[in-house]
Amino acid sequence: QVHLVESGGGLVQPGGSLRLSCAASGSIFRINAMGWYRQAPGKERELVARITSITNYADSVKGRFTISRDNAKNTVYLQMNSLTPEDTAVYYCNGNIRSSYYSVSIDYWGQGTQVTVSS
């Protein structure tokens, strides 16, 4: 079993910054990719950023958000700068993880962390 635990959400003023963290634990053989998704009220969940050997970003966050990964800690980070009210959402960590040599890779999700950008 694999668990993803997010931290770092909260309330921030427009123009401010937050750093989200997501630590993967449990039975981990290989992490293929990790990423961040978000879901605002009344909207579908969308990809924010993803990291494998390369990084991918949603157009709406390019130049403002940076995803990074600490392989030794099985942890992914999302540095969010120049936040706007449109960034308000629940942010979910995702990991495409193979738990053993004999298993297939599965997508795991964290419980979500609320980010609210408001003055």
Side-chain angles (χ1 to χ4, degrees):
Q1 186 71 6
V2 175
H3 300 279
L4 301 181
V5 178
E6 301 119 331
S7 60
L11 173 64
V12 64
Q13 292 187 341
S17 298
L18 281 175
R19 188 191 194 209
L20 305 183
S21 300
C22 172
S25 63
S27 178
I28 298 173
F29 175 73
R30 179 180 296 154
I31 298 178
N32 301 311
M34 294 191 79
W36 291 93
Y37 290 71
R38 68 185 180 187
Q39 187 166 19
K43 295 187 176 182
E44 294 186 352
R45 189 175 297 188
E46 63 174 359
L47 174 68
V48 176
R50 191 170 184 263
I51 184 166
T52 54
S53 57
I54 61 172
T55 57
N56 297 97
Y57 296 93
D59 288 342
S60 60
V61 307
K62 283 182 180 177
R64 300 188 299 123
F65 291 11
T66 302
I67 189 169
S68 62
R69 180 172 159 180
D70 186 332
N71 291 328
K73 296 181 179 180
N74 290 333
T75 299
V76 65
Y77 306 95
L78 185 68
Q79 178 66 43
M80 305 185 294
N81 299 328
S82 303
L83 286 161
T84 73
E86 288 68 40
D87 295 314
T88 296
V90 177
Y91 284 69
Y92 296 91
C93 177
N94 168 268
N96 185 263
I97 298 171
R98 189 175 172 187
S99 59
S100 75
Y101 177 82
Y102 301 100
S103 65
V104 297
S105 298
I106 298 175
D107 277 333
Y108 294 90
W109 294 90
Q111 79 284 359
T113 185
Q114 177 70 47
V115 171
T116 302
V117 185
S118 175
S119 56

